[in-house]
């Protein structure tokens, strides 16, 4: 029996790097916070995840039934669907440090 | 016809209300919660906030055709359905038929990060979507305070809550919000500052290890409401608030009388027993036969074909049946025929209100003619004095409204002093029988008297109350110079009296005989005297005759001698007349 210490971790890390980031941004149509959030999110992704991300913007005014699924209360909210685990971040993403922690973006570097 | 239009303008403007359908709550609030406005329901843990809110919603959907949205922050949809199902509400069915929407809002502080500003538009969107999807008129938010623990920015939260309540009012939905009771304020996070229309406070208090729930309408803007604290309970059919003050003294009364099963007792009550539908109190010290009289009463009623409901708080049904059998009362056939039903429970099993609710339910399902509660005192002991009296009042009112005759037994501690609770209860009772022990001569005897009987002539006499294997009998207690005598003393006194009578009878006979003898003696004496008298009379006559003869002879002799002497005088023919003449001439 051979013990392989650290091997799963070693295997996991590069896969995560290669993985596509799926992000959902819940917004409400005309709200300025929503627009700020989208702009901020886009900027973060460009600088940290270039070419490896996809942002889905969900307008709850048009699709209110989707709010229940991700338990959305606050607007705006970003949900990181992939990579797992799911992470949620609320606010207009103006606090950079918090966004890095909240979305665990440093892992992507 | 525009009567309605005219009416609404002329009538004083009344706050529109949404009936809750919760038993008693609509009476207290005079019609329900303010329509189109939020109502705050606050209280400590486990006092029934969620249930009250859920019942408001379910009854709205079922009884008043108003669909509702339940936004749950604490319980999942599944948990909520299970919880209200225990009260007989079919939430699943209502959700399926689109009468109710349950939206479980899960928000956990550890599961998200915060970055920058945000608002709670998501909550608004969800709520709005839920309301519009079924055309909801009622909304429950249970409980918003969870947000205070989950959302780090309280300033945002408070401004959003203010916006939420404004929005709810604009939406025109009748909302119920629940909140935890705070230490000093009504709610822990001061939700009352947003809800100013109606505040209901729930409370769950423990007195002597028995918990009772209370409800109080703290505030109801623009409407009259009962301000008292009302006990309420959560039963198998939901919440029922029991307002004491809502009951009025206007029940119908019957002049029919019902026999007690003890003919001497009927005789004491004007010969015909108690009034139907009246309340009867039977007080007595332990072992005076309260249960026996109650059972007799039950048996008599059941034998007439009436249904009897026997609430026993001391003995199990089997024990009562067995014990009554020993005095010749056979109750089990009546139980089998469905005329007599027992309901036994320990008084400490649950609080007073729960007992009352159970009793109401039993009475409503069995529809009895006679209800017996044995004993009411042990039940009253499970609450405070005022609670106990309130309970008895409500029970009696409930029974009287249904024209049900009720017999309450009451256990007194001392030999004579009436307890305060009884004096208080007395005013509620139409008739009051008192059972007492008389101790003396090394024995204990039971006596019974009628303390009061409203509306009927009744005996003021004390009766001895005998229990034998043939049942109950009442006998006159001996009341004489030596006081009230019962039991063997009464028997001894009887024997004593009998002996005295016998002695005096014998004495009389003896005297009679003596007098007779005396009379006879006198009679004999009289007879003797009479014969003496007779003989005297005879003697007297004889003397008279003797004298006559001798005179005649004398005259004759004189005449003869005259003749002999050749007297010139003529001798008359009759010797006597001659003699008299002769005398006259002399």
């Amino acid at each position: 029996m051979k013990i392989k210490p650290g091997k799963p971790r070693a295997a996991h890390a590069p896969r995560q790097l290669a993985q596509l980031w799926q992000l959902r941004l819940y917004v409400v149509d005309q709200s300025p916070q929503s627009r700020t959030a989208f702009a901020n999110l886009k900027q973060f992704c460009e600088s940290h995840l270039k070419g490896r991300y996809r942002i889905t913007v969900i307008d709850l005014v048009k699709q209110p039934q989707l709010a229940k699924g991700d338990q959305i209360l606050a607007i705006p909210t970003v949900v990181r669907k992939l990579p797992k685990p799911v992470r949620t971040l609320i606010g207009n993403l103006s606090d950079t440090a918090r966004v890095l922690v909240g979305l665990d973006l440093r892992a992507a570097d | 016809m525009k009567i309605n239009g005219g009416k609404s303008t002329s009538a004083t403007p009344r706050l529109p209300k949404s009936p809750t359908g919760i038993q008693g709550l609509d009476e207290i609030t005079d019609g329900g919660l303010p329509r189109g406005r939020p109502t705050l329901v606050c209280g400590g843990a486990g006092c029934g906030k969620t249930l009250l809110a859920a019942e408001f919603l379910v009854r709205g959907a079922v009884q008043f055709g108003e669909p509702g949205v339940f936004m749950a922050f604490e319980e999942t949809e599944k948990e909520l359905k299970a919880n209200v199902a225990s009260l007989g509400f079919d939430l699943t069915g209502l959700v399926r038929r689109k009468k109710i929407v349950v939206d479980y809002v899960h928000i956990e502080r550890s599961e998200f990060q915060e970055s920058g500003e945000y608002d709670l538009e998501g909550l608004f969107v969800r709520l709005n979507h839920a309301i519009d999807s079924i055309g909801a008129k009622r909304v429950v938010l249970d409980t918003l305070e969870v947000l205070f623990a989950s959302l780090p920015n309280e300033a945002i939260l408070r401004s959003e809550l203010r916006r939420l309540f404004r929005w709810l009012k604009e939406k025109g939905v009748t909302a119920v919000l629940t909140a935890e009771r705070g230490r000093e304020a009504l709610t822990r996070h001061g939700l009352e500052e947003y809800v100013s229309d109606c505040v209901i406070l729930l409370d769950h208090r423990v007195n002597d290890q028995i918990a009772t729930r209370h409800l109080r309408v703290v505030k109801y803007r623009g409407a009259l409401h009962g301000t008292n604290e009302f006990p309420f309970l959560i039963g198998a059919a939901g919440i029922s608030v029991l307002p004491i003050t809502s009951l009025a003294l206007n029940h119908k009364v019957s002049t029919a009388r019902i026999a007690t099963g003890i003919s001497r007792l009927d005789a004491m009550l004007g010969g015909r027993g108690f009034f139907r539908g009246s309340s009867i109190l039977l007080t007595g010290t332990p072992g005076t036969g309260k249960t026996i009289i109650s059972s007799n009463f039950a048996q008599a009623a059941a034998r007439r074909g009436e249904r009897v409901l026997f609430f026993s708080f001391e003995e199990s049904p089997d024990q009562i049946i067995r014990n009554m059998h020993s005095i010749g009362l056979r109750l089990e056939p009546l139980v089998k025929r469905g005329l007599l039903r027992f309901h036994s429970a320990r008084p400490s099993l649950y609080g007073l209100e729960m007992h009352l609710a159970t009793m109401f339910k039993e009475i409503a399902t069995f529809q009895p003619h006679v209800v017996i509660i044995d004993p009411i005192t042990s039940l009253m002991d499970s609450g405070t004095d005022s609670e106990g009296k309130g309970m008895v009042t409500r029970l009696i009112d409930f029974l009287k409204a249904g024209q049900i005759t009720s017999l309450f037994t009451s256990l007194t501690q001392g030999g004579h002093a009436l307890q305060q609770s009884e004096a208080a209860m007395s005013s509620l009772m139409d008739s009051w029988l008192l059972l007492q022990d008389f101790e003396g001569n090394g024995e204990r005897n039971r006596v019974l008297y009628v303390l009061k009987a409203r509306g009927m002539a009744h005996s003021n006499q004390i009766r001895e109350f005998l229990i034998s294997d043939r049942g109950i009998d009442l006998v006159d207690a001996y009341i004489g110079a030596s006081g009230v005598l019962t039991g063997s003393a009464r028997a001894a006194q009887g024997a004593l009296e009998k002996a005295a009578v016998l002695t005096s009878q014998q004495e009389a006979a003896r005297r009679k005989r003596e007098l007779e003898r005396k009379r006879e003696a006198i009679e004999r004496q009289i007879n003797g005297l009479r014969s003496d008298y007779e003989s005297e009379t005879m003697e007297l006559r004889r003397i008279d005759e003797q004298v006559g003869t001798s005179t005649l002879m004398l005259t004759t002799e004189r005449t003869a001698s005259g003749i002999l002497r050749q007297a010139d005088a003529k001798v008359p023919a009759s010797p006597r007349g001659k003699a008299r003449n002769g005398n006259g001439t002399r």
Side-chain angles (χ1 to χ4, degrees):
Chain A
M1 243 169 78
K2 280 184 181 173
I3 302 160
K4 305 171 216 166
K7 208 182 172 190
R9 183 170 300 194
H12 182 70
R15 205 194 302 154
Q16 198 178 34
L17 281 171
Q19 205 169 19
L20 184 73
W21 280 55
Q22 281 190 16
L23 300 168
R24 272 190 200 171
L25 178 64
Y26 287 90
V27 293
V28 169
D29 188 35
Q30 297 299 326
S31 115
Q33 304 278 26
S34 300
R35 267 176 284 168
T36 315
F38 181 72
N40 285 339
L41 185 63
K42 184 113 183 159
Q43 192 192 325
F44 278 115
C45 290
E46 279 301 313
S47 54
H48 292 92
L49 300 161
K50 199 165 171 65
R52 292 190 283 129
Y53 71 94
R54 185 184 294 157
I55 299 172
T56 316
V57 178
I58 296 171
D59 185 354
L60 287 180
V61 171
K62 289 178 186 139
Q63 294 169 294
Q65 70 279 4
L66 293 181
K68 209 169 171 177
D70 279 323
Q71 286 291 353
I72 304 305
L73 278 190
I75 294 294
T77 298
V78 181
V79 179
R80 187 185 84 181
K81 301 298 271 188
L82 282 175
K84 296 280 179 197
V86 173
R87 282 179 173 270
T88 308
L89 186 63
I90 64 171
N92 62 10
L93 313 180
S94 56
D95 186 335
T96 318
R98 292 245 184 145
V99 175
L100 293 176
V101 174
L103 290 182
D104 206 8
L105 271 169
R106 269 171 296 198
D109 291 333
Chain B
M1 294 246 287
K2 295 214 168 169
I3 295 169
N4 281 339
K7 228 179 188 176
S8 63
T9 49
S10 65
T12 47
R14 221 183 93 112
L15 200 70
K17 290 181 182 180
S18 274
T20 59
I22 294 169
Q23 204 185 334
L25 185 58
D26 290 342
E27 290 174 51
I28 297 167
T29 53
D30 193 24
L33 304 180
R35 179 179 293 275
R37 292 159 187 246
T39 293
L40 181 67
V41 176
C42 47
C47 66
K49 301 183 294 287
T50 304
L51 228 46
L52 185 111
E55 191 168 346
F56 166 72
L57 213 61
V58 171
R59 291 201 185 277
V62 175
Q63 293 177 2
F64 306 107
E66 294 191 352
V69 171
F70 198 109
M71 201 163 230
F73 293 82
E74 283 181 323
E75 290 172 288
T76 65
E77 192 170 335
K78 206 174 157 190
E79 284 168 344
L80 192 70
K81 280 175 181 171
N83 291 352
V84 299
S86 68
L87 300 179
F89 302 143
D90 178 23
L91 199 56
T92 316
L94 287 166
V95 169
R96 203 169 43 234
R97 281 180 281 135
K98 297 205 179 295
K99 295 285 179 201
I100 282 181
V101 168
V102 180
D103 190 358
Y104 168 58
V105 179
H106 174 81
I107 180 159
E108 182 65 54
R109 183 70 192 91
S110 60
E111 289 175 9
F112 64 89
Q113 289 285 332
E114 191 194 27
S115 168
E117 290 193 2
Y118 57 91
D119 57 30
L120 293 182
E121 193 60 33
L123 180 68
F124 285 72
V125 168
R126 282 170 80 164
L127 199 51
N128 191 43
H129 173 63
I131 291 170
D132 290 347
S133 67
I134 55 165
K137 296 274 185 289
R138 299 181 178 205
V139 168
V140 168
L141 299 165
D142 178 51
T143 162
L144 277 175
E145 284 185 325
V146 170
L147 295 180
F148 283 92
S150 316
L151 293 173
N153 194 332
E154 198 173 315
I156 290 179
L157 182 55
R158 289 202 178 271
S159 76
E160 286 298 283
L161 284 181
R162 200 176 294 280
R163 190 159 73 93
L164 176 68
F165 293 122
R166 213 168 41 233
W167 180 79
L168 284 170
K169 275 193 187 182
E170 277 166 22
K171 196 85 186 160
V173 291
T174 309
V176 169
L177 306 110
T178 62
E180 282 287 317
R181 180 87 200 259
R183 212 166 277 171
E184 273 155 28
L186 279 173
T187 58
R188 194 172 292 165
H189 297 283
L191 280 181
E192 63 267 28
E193 75 178 89
Y194 309 109
V195 183
S196 52
D197 296 295
C198 182
V199 178
I200 294 172
L201 186 64
L202 303 181
D203 176 33
H204 201 186
R205 272 202 300 271
V206 178
N207 272 328
D208 277 344
Q209 305 174 10
I210 288 165
T212 311
R213 297 167 200 274
H214 293 91
L215 178 148
R216 185 159 70 94
V217 179
V218 179
K219 176 173 173 181
Y220 198 138
R221 185 172 283 180
L224 286 173
H225 61 90
T227 51
N228 296 344
E229 210 169 37
F230 297 98
F232 79 97
L233 44 98
I234 299 170
I239 290 175
S240 60
V241 188
L242 303 152
I244 304 164
T245 44
S246 74
L247 296 158
L249 278 173
N250 53 7
H251 24 251
K252 283 194 189 123
V253 295
S254 168
T255 51
R257 304 276 281 261
I258 54 170
T260 59
I262 306 163
S263 51
R264 276 300 292 270
L265 185 54
D266 291 341
M268 287 173 82
L269 298 162
R272 291 189 294 151
F274 296 111
F275 280 117
R276 181 174 294 286
S278 66
S279 49
I280 304 147
L281 179 65
L282 186 62
T283 57
T285 45
T288 43
K290 295 180 296 296
T291 307
I292 290 175
I293 289 191
S294 313
S295 303
N296 243 289
F297 191 54
Q299 190 205 28
R303 278 193 174 163
R304 287 192 299 266
E306 296 173 6
R307 282 183 303 279
V308 182
L309 190 53
F310 198 121
F311 291 101
S312 171
F313 296 102
E314 276 182 348
E315 296 176 276
S316 74
D318 285 348
Q319 195 180 329
I320 295 175
I321 289 171
R322 183 201 67 193
N323 293 353
M324 292 309 127
H325 200 262
S326 74
I327 59 155
L329 278 180
R330 295 178 59 86
L331 299 176
E332 69 271 33
L334 300 170
V335 174
K336 276 189 193 131
R337 282 170 59 199
L339 290 169
L340 178 59
R341 185 189 285 183
F342 285 97
H343 178 92
S344 288
R346 279 262 167 234
S348 51
L349 182 62
Y350 26 64
L352 216 47
E353 301 308 326
M354 196 65 198
H355 274 295
L356 194 61
T358 318
M359 287 163 89
F360 278 8
K361 207 180 131 217
E362 280 280 321
I363 290 165
T365 50
F366 190 55
Q367 295 284 321
H369 297 87
V370 173
V371 165
I372 291 164
I373 291 145
D374 179 40
I376 189 78
T377 31
S378 61
L379 197 55
M380 287 173 81
D381 287 345
S382 48
T384 62
D385 275 0
S386 61
E387 281 173 348
K389 197 186 172 196
M391 191 203 84
V392 176
T393 312
R394 276 178 283 158
L395 188 57
I396 287 179
D397 281 331
F398 179 72
L399 292 169
K400 284 200 165 177
Q403 293 222 5
I404 300 166
T405 315
S406 50
L407 177 70
F408 299 83
T409 70
S410 158
L411 184 69
T412 48
Q413 297 301 322
H416 42 272
L418 296 171
Q419 286 195 317
Q420 198 144 19
S421 63
E422 276 165 38
M425 242 197 304
S426 157
S427 59
L428 301 167
M429 299 292 176
D430 296 324
S431 305
W432 188 356
L433 302 183
L434 193 65
L435 290 168
Q436 239 178 42
D437 267 337
F438 265 115
E439 231 172 305
N441 292 349
E443 58 186 52
R444 212 171 233 282
N445 295 297
R446 303 173 175 94
V447 296
L448 176 149
Y449 40 97
V450 181
L451 216 64
K452 78 166 179 185
R454 281 178 184 156
M456 61 174 97
H458 56 274
S459 167
N460 62 349
Q461 298 275 298
I462 193 166
R463 292 277 183 275
E464 190 175 347
F465 171 62
L466 297 178
I467 302 170
S468 69
D469 52 3
R470 278 168 288 114
I472 304 180
D473 202 11
L474 294 179
V475 294
D476 294 337
Y478 175 85
I479 302 165
S482 40
V484 177
L485 296 180
T486 54
S488 64
R490 172 180 50 77
Q493 186 67 30
L496 218 62
E497 283 186 354
K498 231 177 236 171
V501 167
L502 201 66
T503 317
S504 75
Q505 272 174 356
Q506 282 170 346
E507 177 71 12
R510 194 185 56 78
R511 283 200 60 196
K512 206 170 152 191
R513 273 200 307 279
E514 199 173 288
L515 282 171
E516 196 73 23
R517 238 188 354 260
K518 228 178 198 169
R519 201 174 62 92
E520 273 169 22
I522 290 168
E523 209 162 82
R524 266 200 306 280
Q525 238 172 339
I526 289 169
N527 283 343
L529 282 171
R530 179 160 288 149
S531 67
D532 277 359
Y533 173 79
E534 297 277 318
S535 56
E536 299 277 315
T537 315
M538 293 278 275
E539 188 66 30
L540 202 62
R541 200 174 291 156
R542 209 172 57 239
I543 291 169
D544 267 356
E545 277 168 16
Q546 230 168 0
V547 171
T549 316
S550 57
T551 311
L552 186 64
M553 277 168 66
L554 196 62
T555 316
T556 317
E557 269 170 35
R558 210 176 275 165
T559 314
S561 55
I563 293 164
L564 286 171
R565 273 181 278 149
Q566 296 196 345
D568 42 21
K570 272 220 169 161
V571 183
S574 137
R576 281 190 85 152
K578 271 177 200 166
R580 221 170 269 152
N581 284 347
N583 287 345
T585 54
R586 255 192 313 211

